[in-house]
mmCIF file of all heavy atoms in Angstrom:
data_model
loop_
_atom_site.group_PDB
_atom_site.id
_atom_site.type_symbol
_atom_site.label_atom_id
_atom_site.label_comp_id
_atom_site.label_asym_id
_atom_site.label_seq_id
_atom_site.Cartn_x
_atom_site.Cartn_y
_atom_site.Cartn_z
ATOM 1 N N TYR A 360 -74.965 50.474 -66.972
ATOM 2 C CA TYR A 360 -74.355 49.181 -67.263
ATOM 3 C C TYR A 360 -73.307 48.822 -66.209
ATOM 4 O O TYR A 360 -72.628 49.696 -65.669
ATOM 5 C CB TYR A 360 -73.701 49.210 -68.641
ATOM 6 C CG TYR A 360 -74.667 49.020 -69.797
ATOM 7 C CD1 TYR A 360 -75.815 49.805 -69.924
ATOM 8 C CD2 TYR A 360 -74.447 48.044 -70.758
ATOM 9 C CE1 TYR A 360 -76.698 49.625 -70.977
ATOM 10 C CE2 TYR A 360 -75.325 47.852 -71.818
ATOM 11 C CZ TYR A 360 -76.439 48.648 -71.919
ATOM 12 O OH TYR A 360 -77.325 48.465 -72.968
ATOM 13 N N ASP A 397 -68.527 44.248 -53.002
ATOM 14 C CA ASP A 397 -68.667 45.480 -52.214
ATOM 15 C C ASP A 397 -68.235 46.704 -53.010
ATOM 16 O O ASP A 397 -68.865 47.769 -52.913
ATOM 17 C CB ASP A 397 -67.851 45.382 -50.919
ATOM 18 C CG ASP A 397 -68.512 44.486 -49.882
ATOM 19 O OD1 ASP A 397 -69.734 44.232 -50.006
ATOM 20 O OD2 ASP A 397 -67.820 44.042 -48.949
ATOM 21 N N SER A 434 -79.507 41.539 -56.317
ATOM 22 C CA SER A 434 -80.341 41.593 -55.112
ATOM 23 C C SER A 434 -80.216 42.951 -54.430
ATOM 24 O O SER A 434 -81.211 43.537 -53.981
ATOM 25 C CB SER A 434 -79.928 40.471 -54.155
ATOM 26 O OG SER A 434 -80.716 40.503 -52.983
ATOM 27 N N ILE A 444 -83.765 44.724 -64.137
ATOM 28 C CA ILE A 444 -82.392 44.259 -64.337
ATOM 29 C C ILE A 444 -82.323 43.358 -65.565
ATOM 30 O O ILE A 444 -83.143 42.462 -65.734
ATOM 31 C CB ILE A 444 -81.881 43.504 -63.097
ATOM 32 C CG1 ILE A 444 -81.797 44.459 -61.898
ATOM 33 C CG2 ILE A 444 -80.512 42.875 -63.373
ATOM 34 C CD1 ILE A 444 -81.437 43.785 -60.595
ATOM 35 N N ASP A 469 -84.979 40.518 -64.806
ATOM 36 C CA ASP A 469 -86.214 40.789 -65.546
ATOM 37 C C ASP A 469 -86.093 40.471 -67.032
ATOM 38 O O ASP A 469 -87.072 40.100 -67.670
ATOM 39 C CB ASP A 469 -86.618 42.261 -65.373
ATOM 40 C CG ASP A 469 -86.837 42.604 -63.914
ATOM 41 O OD1 ASP A 469 -87.893 42.244 -63.380
ATOM 42 O OD2 ASP A 469 -85.935 43.209 -63.302
ATOM 43 N N ASN A 477 -76.383 34.015 -85.471
ATOM 44 C CA ASN A 477 -76.602 33.338 -86.750
ATOM 45 C C ASN A 477 -77.493 32.119 -86.524
ATOM 46 O O ASN A 477 -77.348 31.439 -85.506
ATOM 47 C CB ASN A 477 -75.261 32.906 -87.344
ATOM 48 C CG ASN A 477 -75.356 32.493 -88.799
ATOM 49 O OD1 ASN A 477 -75.880 31.434 -89.127
ATOM 50 N ND2 ASN A 477 -74.847 33.337 -89.690
ATOM 51 N N PHE A 491 -65.816 26.045 -75.713
ATOM 52 C CA PHE A 491 -66.651 24.867 -75.499
ATOM 53 C C PHE A 491 -66.941 24.107 -76.798
ATOM 54 O O PHE A 491 -67.618 23.083 -76.784
ATOM 55 C CB PHE A 491 -67.974 25.270 -74.836
ATOM 56 C CG PHE A 491 -67.804 25.890 -73.486
ATOM 57 C CD1 PHE A 491 -68.074 27.242 -73.291
ATOM 58 C CD2 PHE A 491 -67.355 25.149 -72.409
ATOM 59 C CE1 PHE A 491 -67.925 27.827 -72.040
ATOM 60 C CE2 PHE A 491 -67.200 25.720 -71.155
ATOM 61 C CZ PHE A 491 -67.483 27.070 -70.967
ATOM 62 N N ARG A 494 -70.543 22.310 -78.802
ATOM 63 C CA ARG A 494 -71.668 22.283 -77.862
ATOM 64 C C ARG A 494 -72.339 23.637 -77.717
ATOM 65 O O ARG A 494 -73.481 23.731 -77.245
ATOM 66 C CB ARG A 494 -71.187 21.850 -76.468
ATOM 67 C CG ARG A 494 -70.675 20.429 -76.377
ATOM 68 C CD ARG A 494 -70.355 20.093 -74.928
ATOM 69 N NE ARG A 494 -69.208 20.852 -74.422
ATOM 70 C CZ ARG A 494 -68.939 21.035 -73.133
ATOM 71 N NH1 ARG A 494 -69.753 20.528 -72.213
ATOM 72 N NH2 ARG A 494 -67.868 21.710 -72.757
ATOM 73 N N ASP A 497 -76.102 24.674 -79.383
ATOM 74 C CA ASP A 497 -77.236 23.969 -78.768
ATOM 75 C C ASP A 497 -77.395 24.365 -77.301
ATOM 76 O O ASP A 497 -78.527 24.499 -76.810
ATOM 77 C CB ASP A 497 -77.042 22.457 -78.880
ATOM 78 C CG ASP A 497 -77.138 21.969 -80.318
ATOM 79 O OD1 ASP A 497 -77.778 22.659 -81.140
ATOM 80 O OD2 ASP A 497 -76.566 20.908 -80.625
ATOM 81 N N TYR A 509 -88.236 31.152 -65.917
ATOM 82 C CA TYR A 509 -87.914 31.894 -64.697
ATOM 83 C C TYR A 509 -87.754 33.403 -64.892
ATOM 84 O O TYR A 509 -87.781 34.150 -63.916
ATOM 85 C CB TYR A 509 -86.609 31.348 -64.096
ATOM 86 C CG TYR A 509 -86.626 29.862 -63.904
ATOM 87 C CD1 TYR A 509 -85.993 29.016 -64.803
ATOM 88 C CD2 TYR A 509 -87.309 29.285 -62.821
ATOM 89 C CE1 TYR A 509 -86.017 27.629 -64.641
ATOM 90 C CE2 TYR A 509 -87.334 27.905 -62.650
ATOM 91 C CZ TYR A 509 -86.692 27.086 -63.568
ATOM 92 O OH TYR A 509 -86.724 25.722 -63.397
ATOM 93 N N SER A 523 -78.436 37.871 -93.685
ATOM 94 C CA SER A 523 -79.425 38.180 -94.726
ATOM 95 C C SER A 523 -80.835 38.213 -94.141
ATOM 96 O O SER A 523 -81.085 37.720 -93.040
ATOM 97 C CB SER A 523 -79.357 37.123 -95.831
ATOM 98 O OG SER A 523 -79.813 35.868 -95.338
#
Side-chain angles (χ1 to χ4, degrees):
Y360 280 52
D397 285 341
S434 180
I444 295 174
D469 301 282
N477 193 287
F491 298 111
R494 294 185 292 161
D497 292 336
Y509 308 101
S523 68

